[in-house]
Amino acid sequence: MFHHVKDLQFNARVSRPDPYFANLLLEQFGGENGELAAAMQYFTQAFGAKMPHPDKYDMLMDIATEEFSHLEIVGATIQMLLKGVNGELKDAADQSEIMQVMDGKAAKENIIHQALSANPQFGIITGGGVTPRNSQGIPWCASYIHSNGDLTVDLRSNLASESRAKLVYEHLMKFTDDPYVHESLSFLMTREVAHYKMFEAALNDIQPNFPPGVLASDPRFTQQYFNLSNGATVRGPWNEGEMPDMGKEWNYIADPLAYVQDTQGITATDKTLDKELKQAQKLDKEMSEMRSTEVKNSEPEGVSEWSNYNAPKK
């Protein structure tokens, strides 16, 4: 049950209209890395987490709800930046706030042109309102959502989503000198960092969580790094020394063509790895049974109900 509180989580303010930046800010309203995409992603992921991980369900729903509140902050800011464009443009264009944008250098018609050329959707479709489209006028799309049904995979997707969203806010802050808008964007950017750490902590709380999914990796093909670039050899922790958290050494393949030919397409592999392969196959069965049992045991017998209204109040 959602309950809308009419006050914003963060008090968004705007010192003067800026139709051009309003269009850019649409990227965080209806764009691929925006607040609507984040809210729907975490909201969607939560359903699969409800039974096996009720604590993570609670976290995902909390963060999804906060993302909706951030969507409201972004939408409110866009609407305030469009003051003078939304339906009363001709009248408002002669008033002081629009004159601040013009700075005495542009005619009223130029301000109108700026607003509409930045994104014709404002004037043609929405009449100056906010709409779930990005800065190019492309409608929001459900393909922006990453929800794979495995919580360890979903949480890793969320780490990437929060990282991308933070970067977009960083870039947006370069395109406005409004101190109030800067303040709002800084708040929203910082909450992306907070959410990142929440998802990171939740992922670490699920053990084992590597590799993603259920099946273990095949030990015959895990350690090779193929040198597939011409020029000087480049080495680093991604292809030499110990693999992170694996207890194994990287196997640097300097000449991939010769290696593939010698191993008959990597089918004639080191027989010493056969023992590890059998262990991995055994682990596959154990993990499959564990994950399956985890979900089945969390599902109630008989009639299913999502909420328990008779539970004692905390």
Side-chain angles (χ1 to χ4, degrees):
M1 179 172 60
F2 291 90
H3 176 78
H4 181 239
V5 177
K6 296 179 178 63
D7 295 323
L8 295 179
Q9 181 188 20
F10 184 88
N11 189 22
R13 295 178 293 174
V14 167
S15 64
R16 60 188 180 278
D18 187 345
Y20 178 76
F21 188 72
N23 175 61
L24 292 181
L25 192 53
L26 269 176
E27 204 59 45
Q28 287 302 79
F29 193 85
E32 182 175 359
N33 301 304
E35 302 292 353
L36 178 58
M40 292 305 300
Q41 177 162 307
Y42 309 151
F43 186 77
T44 303
Q45 292 172 353
F47 291 101
K50 169 72 171 178
M51 296 301 179
H53 301 283
D55 53 343
K56 311 304 187 299
Y57 167 84
D58 189 69
M59 178 202 67
L60 286 165
M61 280 296 185
D62 281 345
I63 298 178
T65 304
E66 183 176 356
E67 299 289 12
F68 279 119
S69 73
H70 293 175
L71 184 70
E72 187 176 20
I73 293 171
V74 172
T77 302
I78 292 172
Q79 200 64 53
M80 289 186 287
L81 289 167
L82 289 171
K83 187 175 180 180
V85 178
N86 54 358
E88 296 182 351
L89 181 59
K90 294 292 185 181
D91 293 332
D94 289 328
Q95 297 174 13
S96 59
E97 292 188 52
I98 281 291
M99 291 302 292
Q100 292 176 33
V101 181
M102 290 162 47
D103 197 24
K105 298 177 182 177
K108 175 171 55 180
E109 288 75 14
N110 287 340
I111 297 299
I112 299 171
H113 177 73
Q114 180 191 35
L116 297 182
S117 62
N119 188 346
Q121 306 284 343
F122 280 139
I124 298 172
I125 296 179
T126 70
V130 182
T131 180
R133 290 174 166 81
N134 68 9
S135 58
Q136 300 299 307
I138 299 172
W140 185 87
C141 181
S143 64
Y144 297 158
I145 295 174
H146 299 280
S147 182
N148 295 97
D150 184 289
L151 192 53
T152 67
V153 176
D154 286 342
L155 289 171
R156 287 184 170 91
S157 293
N158 297 350
L159 293 175
S161 295
E162 296 293 334
S163 300
R164 289 190 294 266
K166 178 184 182 291
L167 191 60
V168 173
Y169 278 123
E170 283 189 21
H171 293 327
L172 283 169
M173 291 170 72
K174 301 172 187 175
F175 290 90
T176 178
D177 58 2
D178 189 317
Y180 292 134
V181 176
H182 256 269
E183 193 177 42
S184 296
L185 296 182
S186 179
F187 166 78
L188 293 167
M189 181 195 72
T190 302
R191 291 306 296 167
E192 308 293 354
V193 177
H195 292 165
Y196 182 102
K197 299 308 291 184
M198 294 172 197
F199 290 134
E200 185 178 51
L203 177 61
N204 291 335
D205 192 53
I206 301 172
Q207 295 297 333
N209 66 30
F210 183 85
V214 176
L215 300 180
S217 59
D218 191 320
R220 296 172 298 174
F221 315 124
T222 304
Q223 297 165 251
Q224 297 95 333
Y225 179 93
F226 294 94
N227 177 35
L228 295 170
S229 302
N230 291 326
T233 299
V234 178
R235 304 300 297 270
W238 54 87
N239 63 20
E240 67 177 350
E242 186 173 312
M243 300 173 68
D245 305 318
M246 294 287 286
K248 298 181 178 182
E249 296 287 319
W250 287 111
N251 178 17
Y252 185 79
I253 310 299
D255 188 346
L257 179 59
Y259 178 82
V260 169
Q261 290 174 337
D262 291 343
T263 59
Q264 301 176 40
I266 323 184
T267 59
T269 54
D270 188 350
K271 295 300 182 183
T272 60
L273 295 175
D274 288 350
K275 183 177 179 181
E276 285 189 42
L277 178 59
K278 290 180 180 179
Q279 291 175 339
Q281 292 170 341
K282 180 182 177 183
L283 181 60
D284 286 345
K285 294 180 180 180
E286 292 174 353
M287 284 295 297
S288 297
E289 184 177 349
M290 185 188 80
R291 290 289 175 86
S292 177
T293 301
E294 184 181 62
V295 174
K296 290 177 180 177
N297 288 347
S298 65
E299 295 173 341
E301 296 180 2
V303 176
S304 296
E305 58 178 0
W306 200 257
S307 302
N308 183 3
Y309 295 101
N310 298 318
K313 302 294 182 181
K314 293 183 179 181

